[in-house]
Amino acid sequence: LGYSYTKRFTRYCHLVLGLALGCAPIGAWAAVRGNIEATPLLIGLAVMLWTAGFDIIYACQDVDFDRRENLHSLPARLGLPRSLMLSRTMHLSVILILALVGFRENLGSPYWLGLFFAASCLTFEQYLIRSGDMTKVTTAFFTMNGLVSLTFGAAVIISLYV
């Protein structure tokens, strides 16, 4: 609810959205296990950076509007090239954090296969919008992130139960 209002006073609105979603795995872990350890915090951080990274991509479409209406966003502040580089850095960080989770939790090959697929989807997502051409944002934003969430989620579940 607060995300849309944060654009009125901070360019870090994308991280606010990511933080809101990143709290979900931490809360789920605490509800099931009754504690909070490093692993759910890492997962929450990965979700936060993944969400912020793809929200930056989506916000690149609104740069002119945001500037005209004096709304804050990273693309409006940094411009498209620097914003897309930041999004890439966030998505690379996601893969590294999730690899750390896989090692910490000693997860099996389904997890690593799912992580490889997620990394491939995020790489393709970044490739689609590399020049700031927003004509492929629907594929980059919706399709690639949908594939990441469904296939990586399934890989995690399979890895935990196999």
Side-chain angles (χ1 to χ4, degrees), residues 14-28 39-56 90-91 93-98 101 111 122 145 148-149 152-153 156:
H14 319 287
L15 290 168
V16 171
L17 178 62
L19 180 62
L21 295 179
C23 287
I26 299 168
T39 296
L41 294 175
L42 289 169
I43 296 168
L45 179 61
V47 170
M48 182 182 87
L49 292 173
W50 174 43
T51 302
F54 69 66
D55 191 56
I56 288 170
M90 288 177 172
H91 283 171
S93 298
V94 167
I95 300 308
L96 297 174
I97 293 166
L98 292 176
V101 167
Y111 179 88
L122 291 176
N145 289 303
V148 168
S149 63
F152 186 67
V156 170

Side-chain angles (χ1 to χ4, degrees), residues 79-98:
L80 293 184
R82 289 175 60 198
S83 295
L84 293 175
M85 182 57 71
L86 181 58
S87 175
R88 286 183 197 104
T89 302
M90 288 177 172
H91 283 171
L92 176 60
S93 298
V94 167
I95 300 308
L96 297 174
I97 293 166
L98 292 176

Side-chain angles (χ1 to χ4, degrees), residues 33-118:
R33 297 207 177 180
N35 65 10
I36 296 177
E37 302 169 10
T39 296
L41 294 175
L42 289 169
I43 296 168
L45 179 61
V47 170
M48 182 182 87
L49 292 173
W50 174 43
T51 302
F54 69 66
D55 191 56
I56 288 170
I57 291 171
Y58 199 71
C60 285
Q61 301 176 103
D62 300 329
V63 169
D64 294 334
F65 179 83
D66 288 354
R67 288 177 178 157
R68 187 173 57 249
E69 297 298 319
N70 200 28
L71 295 174
H72 303 280
S73 69
L74 286 169
R77 172 73 175 179
L78 302 175
L80 293 184
R82 289 175 60 198
S83 295
L84 293 175
M85 182 57 71
L86 181 58
S87 175
R88 286 183 197 104
T89 302
M90 288 177 172
H91 283 171
L92 176 60
S93 298
V94 167
I95 300 308
L96 297 174
I97 293 166
L98 292 176
L100 179 59
V101 167
F103 285 121
R104 283 183 55 83
E105 297 299 317
N106 197 28
L107 296 171
S109 55
Y111 179 88
W112 295 104
L113 185 61
L115 184 56
F116 175 78
F117 185 78

